[in-house]
Coordinates of all heavy atoms in Angstrom, one line a residue:
L366 N -19.7 1.9 -1.3 CA -20.9 1.1 -1.2 C -21.5 0.8 -2.6 O -22.2 -0.2 -2.8 CB -22.0 1.7 -0.3 CG -21.7 1.7 1.2 CD1 -22.8 2.5 1.9 CD2 -21.6 0.3 1.8
D367 N -21.2 1.7 -3.6 CA -21.7 1.4 -4.9 C -21.1 0.2 -5.5 O -21.6 -0.4 -6.5 CB -21.4 2.7 -5.8 CG -19.9 2.9 -5.9 OD1 -19.2 2.8 -4.9 OD2 -19.5 3.2 -7.1
E368 N -20.0 -0.3 -4.9 CA -19.3 -1.5 -5.5 C -19.7 -2.8 -4.9 O -19.2 -3.8 -5.3 CB -17.8 -1.3 -5.4 CG -17.3 -0.1 -6.1 CD -15.8 0.1 -6.0 OE1 -15.2 -0.6 -5.2 OE2 -15.2 1.0 -6.7
L369 N -20.7 -2.8 -4.0 CA -21.2 -4.0 -3.3 C -21.6 -5.1 -4.3 O -21.4 -6.2 -4.2 CB -22.2 -3.7 -2.3 CG -21.8 -3.1 -0.9 CD1 -23.0 -2.8 -0.1 CD2 -20.9 -4.1 -0.2
P370 N -22.4 -4.6 -5.4 CA -22.8 -5.7 -6.3 C -21.7 -6.4 -7.1 O -21.9 -7.5 -7.6 CB -23.7 -4.9 -7.3 CG -24.2 -3.7 -6.5 CD -23.0 -3.4 -5.6
Q371 N -20.5 -5.8 -7.0 CA -19.4 -6.5 -7.7 C -19.0 -7.8 -6.9 O -18.2 -8.6 -7.4 CB -18.2 -5.5 -7.7 CG -18.4 -4.4 -8.7 CD -17.2 -3.5 -8.8 OE1 -16.0 -3.9 -8.8 NE2 -17.5 -2.2 -8.7
L372 N -19.5 -7.9 -5.7 CA -19.3 -9.2 -5.0 C -19.9 -10.4 -5.8 O -19.4 -11.5 -5.8 CB -19.9 -9.2 -3.6 CG -19.3 -8.2 -2.6 CD1 -20.2 -8.1 -1.4 CD2 -17.9 -8.7 -2.2
I373 N -20.9 -10.1 -6.6 CA -21.5 -11.1 -7.5 C -20.5 -11.5 -8.6 O -20.3 -12.6 -8.9 CB -22.8 -10.5 -8.2 CG1 -23.8 -10.2 -7.1 CG2 -23.3 -11.5 -9.2 CD1 -25.1 -9.5 -7.6
N374 N -19.7 -10.5 -9.1 CA -18.7 -10.7 -10.1 C -17.6 -11.6 -9.5 O -17.0 -12.5 -10.2 CB -18.1 -9.4 -10.6 CG -19.1 -8.6 -11.5 OD1 -19.5 -7.6 -11.1 ND2 -19.4 -9.1 -12.6
I375 N -17.3 -11.4 -8.2 CA -16.2 -12.2 -7.6 C -16.7 -13.6 -7.4 O -16.0 -14.6 -7.7 CB -15.8 -11.6 -6.2 CG1 -15.2 -10.2 -6.4 CG2 -14.9 -12.5 -5.5 CD1 -14.8 -9.5 -5.1
L376 N -18.0 -13.8 -7.0 CA -18.6 -15.1 -6.9 C -18.6 -15.9 -8.2 O -18.4 -17.1 -8.3 CB -20.0 -15.0 -6.3 CG -20.0 -14.6 -4.8 CD1 -21.5 -14.3 -4.4 CD2 -19.4 -15.6 -3.9
K377 N -18.9 -15.1 -9.3 CA -18.9 -15.8 -10.6 C -17.6 -16.1 -11.2 O -17.4 -16.9 -12.1 CB -19.6 -14.8 -11.6 CG -21.1 -14.6 -11.3 CD -21.7 -13.6 -12.2 CE -21.6 -13.9 -13.6 NZ -22.2 -12.9 -14.5
G378 N -16.5 -15.5 -10.5 CA -15.1 -15.8 -11.0 C -14.6 -14.8 -12.0 O -13.5 -14.9 -12.6
D379 N -15.4 -13.7 -12.3 CA -14.9 -12.7 -13.2 C -13.9 -11.8 -12.6 O -13.0 -11.2 -13.3 CB -16.1 -11.8 -13.6 CG -17.2 -12.5 -14.4 OD1 -16.8 -13.5 -15.1 OD2 -18.4 -12.2 -14.3
M380 N -14.0 -11.6 -11.3 CA -13.1 -10.7 -10.6 C -12.5 -11.4 -9.3 O -12.9 -12.4 -8.9 CB -13.8 -9.4 -10.1 CG -14.3 -8.5 -11.3 SD -15.3 -7.1 -10.7 CE -14.1 -6.3 -9.6
S381 N -11.5 -10.7 -8.8 CA -10.9 -11.1 -7.5 C -11.0 -9.9 -6.5 O -11.4 -8.8 -6.9 CB -9.4 -11.4 -7.7 OG -8.8 -11.7 -6.5
F382 N -10.7 -10.2 -5.2 CA -10.7 -9.1 -4.3 C -9.6 -8.1 -4.6 O -9.8 -6.9 -4.4 CB -10.6 -9.7 -2.8 CG -11.9 -9.8 -2.2 CD1 -12.5 -11.1 -2.0 CD2 -12.6 -8.7 -1.7 CE1 -13.7 -11.2 -1.4 CE2 -13.8 -8.9 -1.1 CZ -14.4 -10.1 -0.9
V383 N -8.4 -8.6 -5.0 CA -7.3 -7.7 -5.2 C -6.8 -7.9 -6.6 O -6.6 -9.0 -7.1 CB -6.2 -8.0 -4.2 CG1 -5.0 -7.1 -4.5 CG2 -6.6 -7.8 -2.8

Side-chain angles (χ1 to χ4, degrees):
L366 289 174
D367 64 318
E368 298 179 353
L369 281 178
Q371 291 179 45
L372 293 169
I373 299 174
N374 292 112
I375 298 177
L376 291 172
K377 291 172 60 179
D379 296 327
M380 294 176 58
S381 175
F382 263 105
V383 179

